[in-house]
Amino acid sequence: QVQLVESGGGMVQPGGSLRLSCAASGFTFSSFAMSWVRQAPGKGLEWVSDINSGGGATYYEDSVKGRFTISRDNAKNTLSLQMNSLEPEDTAVYYCAKTLYGGSSLSACDYWGQGTQVTVSS
């Protein structure tokens, strides 16, 4: 069965950096696109970024473009999100998700991890 386990969250000051990781199992990881989504306190889910199965194409929500970088290591079945220049508005639970053809939207995500908390505060 599909399993996605996020890690790497924590508390960081504005302008700081964090790197999130997602360990995937239970499916052929290298055959699927993957996404990062987030949920801020009191808000709904928001798509953040995705990457195609081979890792050669990436897409970002406008508010994180230029600050976040998505990547994957298909040999290790892992997905990463490098987050730089973090802002208080980035505070949220971050989830990785297995993504269907088309991507770049919540509706393309069919399996989700348990999430990891990111808090950006001084």
Side-chain angles (χ1 to χ4, degrees):
Q1 53 187 341
V2 173
Q3 187 171 22
L4 301 167
V5 182
E6 300 93 337
S7 61
M11 179 174 287
V12 65
Q13 295 180 343
S17 298
L18 283 173
R19 186 176 180 88
L20 306 183
S21 295
C22 172
S25 61
F27 66 103
T28 305
F29 180 74
S30 62
S31 295
F32 290 90
M34 295 291 294
S35 297
W36 287 99
V37 301
R38 66 186 180 185
Q39 187 167 30
K43 304 295 183 181
L45 289 167
E46 177 187 33
W47 175 84
V48 175
S49 180
D50 63 9
I51 186 168
N52 73 330
S53 61
T58 60
Y59 302 91
Y60 300 90
E61 193 270 328
D62 287 344
S63 70
V64 309
K65 193 169 186 176
R67 300 188 297 119
F68 290 11
T69 303
I70 190 171
S71 62
R72 66 192 296 159
D73 186 340
N74 285 345
K76 297 181 178 179
N77 283 10
T78 58
L79 177 74
S80 297
L81 185 68
Q82 178 66 47
M83 305 186 295
N84 298 327
S85 302
L86 283 161
E87 305 167 353
E89 293 76 17
D90 296 316
T91 295
V93 177
Y94 284 72
Y95 302 89
C96 67
K98 175 175 172 286
T99 305
L100 302 177
Y101 177 82
S104 301
S105 69
L106 293 174
S107 63
C109 301
D110 61 351
Y111 289 91
W112 310 74
Q114 85 291 341
T116 187
Q117 176 71 50
V118 172
T119 302
V120 184
S121 176
S122 61

